[in-house]
Amino acid sequence: MNNIFIIGVGLIGGSFALDIKALHPECKVFGIDTTEAHLEEALQLGVIDEKANFEDLNKAEIVIIAIPVDATLEVLPKVLDHISDDTIVFDAGSTKEDICDKVRNHPKRRNYLAVHPIAGTEHSGPKAAIHGLYKNKTNIICEVEETAFKLQEKALKLFSDLGMRIRYMNPKAHDKHIAYVSHLSHISAFMLGKTVIDKERNERDIFDMAGSGFASTVRLAKSSPAMWTPIFKQNKTNVIETLDEYIDNLKHFKQLMEDNDFEAVYNEMEKTNHIKDILNGIQ
Amino acid sequence: MNNIFIIGVGLIGGSFALDIKALHPECKVFGIDTTEAHLEEALQLGVIDEKANFEDLNKAEIVIIAIPVDATLEVLPKVLDHISDDTIVFDAGSTKEDICDKVRNHPKRRNYLAVHPIAGTEHSGPKAAIHGLYKNKTNIICEVEETAFKLQEKALKLFSDLGMRIRYMNPKAHDKHIAYVSHLSHISAFMLGKTVIDKERNERDIFDMAGSGFASTVRLAKSSPAMWTPIFKQNKTNVIETLDEYIDNLKHFKQLMEDNDFEAVYNEMEKTNHIKDILNGIQ
């Protein structure tokens, strides 16, 4: 491998860079970012080898776009305009329908692969980049048939070398399902954090009484609003649907408590305990 | 130390037993449990040294009650009836108001200390007992002034040897605050799990698309309904209050999305990011 371009040198892009450099010490990693301080930091941390800009993209073998999903809508067409016929470009965004629609008729559509690696942490920026982030993680690929065969192959080889499991979906199904298992979890955590913070004027009280259970449930409320706001905006319809169902379930649970129907409260929890089997597969 | 009695040889009681035996190899740990299979398992795992029953309690130096909070209401007065004047009894329940009320006028009230160690995992039973569960964890003590001074001292020495931080609260404040940082988190996780399970007929889809973020947010939905139902029942008023506020916050977030006010969506999250500082203190 030769020239890898990372657009957005944060947690996601930076972690790709680190693993690719480990696999292919001969390759050169170029970074593009709107935040100059991030580029400098990525250079110093050895996440990238060199700063670059869009005019350099014609020498890229692989371009990885790892920026907020609203910015990807603007940046991807520009990237496709600049690359050679043999370059494979993929993004890593948490929404896939809008981005696939955006480039549907771009002359270089065949150079793009729509990708969503289910990997990350609640941290962000170049410092958050870590080795092995993608190992044993699921990578969802949408509209694979729209990408040139040889370029699909190159990207799949890379994902396989990184230790990822591949799943193919259409963008609509992706956005609908991911709203449940990812987007809703984030809102649930953010609003839990808000509820507790609003209530407790004296933070020492929270700090002292909260245990590892609270920490786990609210962990995602540390996530970046700059990354998540555009995701909720792009996936608005699906996310609102999940929120309606979640709120209804919470109201129903509350109603059972108000009715003193604690047998039903027990059953609600007992039926959901089944989540154990699902989680065992994830962790 | 001599004879320690553990009533309820599960995660909480068993973990006390393991640590006390490590600290005081000379002491003998007796187990009482309504489930014979748990007692046998606890014996085989070395969590307890001997099975016992209520008639043996007169030789106890310390009695630890670690059973569901509804059962504690029945068991604690019986335990107090059986012990000697020098025995210290403490429970580990997640609600403190009802239990303190229950024994307020018991002739042996001075032998009881109302305790809530903020420690645990989502697992249960004797097998879930682990060494060091209580190290660096908070231990909330209620109505400390109602307990005989020498017996307070003995319990506090034990908690200190286990590495716990002590916080004193009144039972009313305890139940109100813990509803926010513990009880609400459990309902939020259970209902998140339910929402996703209900939606996804095909579990392979959840399994494949869910990442570590979902796993973290929903982890508490693995908890025991037998333990949690009585907690919600005893702390009904406070829990319903937290649920009302949580549901209102979720509805407000949804409304902002429906209004396309994504600047406000951003601000909601940004204000809550502040939870980082609180969590840094916990983990």
Side-chain angles (χ1 to χ4, degrees), chain B residues 72-207:
Chain B
T72 303
L73 288 184
E74 305 309 315
V75 165
L76 176 58
K78 272 176 64 184
V79 169
L80 293 178
D81 291 342
H82 281 85
I83 55 167
S84 83
D85 282 345
D86 303 321
T87 308
I88 172 77
V89 180
F90 65 87
D91 73 323
S94 191
T95 47
K96 293 268 86 62
E97 202 173 352
D98 282 9
I99 193 65
C100 286
D101 282 349
K102 179 82 180 189
V103 294
R104 187 162 314 286
N105 299 311
H106 193 286
K108 288 246 176 66
R109 173 62 185 88
R110 59 190 291 282
N111 294 74
Y112 166 62
L113 189 67
V115 169
H116 181 197
I118 311 289
T121 69
E122 68 276 27
H123 307 298
S124 45
K127 252 185 301 210
I130 48 176
H131 278 285
L133 178 65
Y134 301 106
K135 198 171 162 64
N136 299 323
K137 301 293 165 58
T138 298
N139 200 12
I140 300 173
I141 296 180
C142 294
E143 292 191 343
V144 66
E145 66 285 358
E146 301 296 324
T147 308
F149 186 71
K150 284 210 166 167
L151 298 178
Q152 288 175 27
E153 211 175 12
K154 184 178 283 186
L156 288 171
K157 170 76 167 65
L158 173 63
F159 300 145
S160 162
D161 289 345
L162 294 173
M164 306 189 87
R165 280 188 298 265
I166 305 298
R167 295 290 180 269
Y168 299 99
M169 292 184 93
N170 69 62
K172 221 181 176 62
H174 168 275
D175 286 11
K176 192 178 176 65
H177 285 73
I178 206 73
Y180 283 90
V181 290
S182 168
H183 304 175
L184 177 61
S185 310
H186 282 78
I187 298 176
S188 129
F190 270 111
M191 291 303 100
L192 178 64
K194 180 187 158 127
T195 305
V196 177
I197 288 176
D198 280 357
K199 193 65 189 179
E200 306 285 346
R201 306 248 172 92
N202 181 346
E203 278 166 29
R204 291 293 303 174
D205 283 358
I206 307 178
F207 171 91

Side-chain angles (χ1 to χ4, degrees), chain A residues 118 120 138 140 167 169 174 176-178 180-181 184-185 187-200 203-223 225-226 228-229 232-233 236 239-247 249-254 257-258 260 262 265-266 268-276 278-279 281-283, chain B residues 118 120 138 140 167 169 174 176-178 180-181 184-185 187-200 203-223 225-226 228-229 232-233 236 239-247 249-254 257-258 260 262 265-266 268-276 278-279 281-283:
Chain A
I118 312 288
T138 297
I140 301 173
R167 295 292 179 269
M169 293 185 92
H174 168 275
K176 191 177 178 63
H177 285 72
I178 207 72
Y180 283 89
V181 291
L184 177 60
S185 310
I187 298 177
S188 127
F190 269 111
M191 291 303 100
L192 178 64
K194 181 186 160 129
T195 305
V196 177
I197 288 175
D198 280 358
K199 193 64 188 181
E200 305 285 344
E203 279 164 30
R204 290 293 302 175
D205 283 356
I206 306 179
F207 170 91
D208 280 349
M209 297 188 72
S212 58
F214 177 72
S216 168
T217 318
V218 87
R219 179 169 70 88
L220 295 179
K222 298 194 246 174
S223 303
W228 280 95
T229 306
F232 296 142
K233 192 171 175 182
K236 177 179 156 178
V239 170
I240 285 177
E241 194 184 307
T242 69
L243 267 173
D244 277 333
E245 290 166 24
Y246 184 52
I247 291 167
N249 283 327
L250 287 162
K251 280 178 169 167
H252 177 66
F253 193 91
K254 194 189 110 183
M257 285 183 66
E258 281 170 343
N260 287 312
F262 286 95
V265 164
Y266 180 98
E268 284 282 288
M269 291 191 278
E270 212 261 337
K271 274 186 292 182
T272 307
N273 266 175
H274 164 58
I275 198 88
K276 277 177 199 166
I278 299 168
L279 293 178
I282 304 172
Q283 290 173 313
Chain B
I118 311 289
T138 298
I140 300 173
R167 295 290 180 269
M169 292 184 93
H174 168 275
K176 192 178 176 65
H177 285 73
I178 206 73
Y180 283 90
V181 290
L184 177 61
S185 310
I187 298 176
S188 129
F190 270 111
M191 291 303 100
L192 178 64
K194 180 187 158 127
T195 305
V196 177
I197 288 176
D198 280 357
K199 193 65 189 179
E200 306 285 346
E203 278 166 29
R204 291 293 303 174
D205 283 358
I206 307 178
F207 171 91
D208 281 350
M209 296 187 73
S212 58
F214 177 70
S216 167
T217 319
V218 87
R219 178 168 73 85
L220 295 178
K222 298 195 245 173
S223 303
W228 281 94
T229 306
F232 296 142
K233 194 171 173 182
K236 178 178 155 179
V239 170
I240 285 177
E241 194 184 309
T242 68
L243 267 173
D244 277 334
E245 289 166 23
Y246 184 51
I247 291 168
N249 283 327
L250 287 162
K251 279 177 167 168
H252 177 67
F253 194 91
K254 194 188 106 181
M257 285 183 67
E258 281 169 342
N260 287 312
F262 287 95
V265 164
Y266 180 98
E268 284 282 286
M269 292 191 278
E270 212 260 336
K271 274 185 291 180
T272 306
N273 267 175
H274 164 55
I275 199 87
K276 277 177 200 165
I278 298 168
L279 293 178
I282 304 174
Q283 292 171 316

Side-chain angles (χ1 to χ4, degrees), chain A residues 45-77:
Chain A
L45 292 166
V47 169
I48 60 171
D49 299 309
E50 219 169 279
K51 297 193 269 183
N53 54 53
F54 281 72
E55 280 61 46
D56 305 314
L57 285 170
N58 59 350
K59 62 180 177 185
E61 186 172 343
I62 299 180
V63 182
I64 303 174
I65 304 178
I67 56 181
V69 294
D70 55 342
T72 303
L73 289 183
E74 305 309 313
V75 165
L76 176 58

Side-chain angles (χ1 to χ4, degrees), chain A residues 1-6 9 13-14 16-18 20-22 24-32 38-52 59:
Chain A
M1 249 183 239
N2 279 307
N3 298 330
I4 312 292
F5 280 69
I6 309 285
V9 294
F16 270 119
L18 290 176
I20 292 173
K21 285 171 73 156
H24 303 280
E26 78 286 0
C27 89
K28 201 161 185 178
V29 176
F30 296 84
I32 297 179
H38 277 182
L39 279 178
E40 282 299 336
E41 203 181 327
L43 259 180
Q44 276 167 18
L45 292 166
V47 169
I48 60 171
D49 299 309
E50 219 169 279
K51 297 193 269 183
K59 62 180 177 185

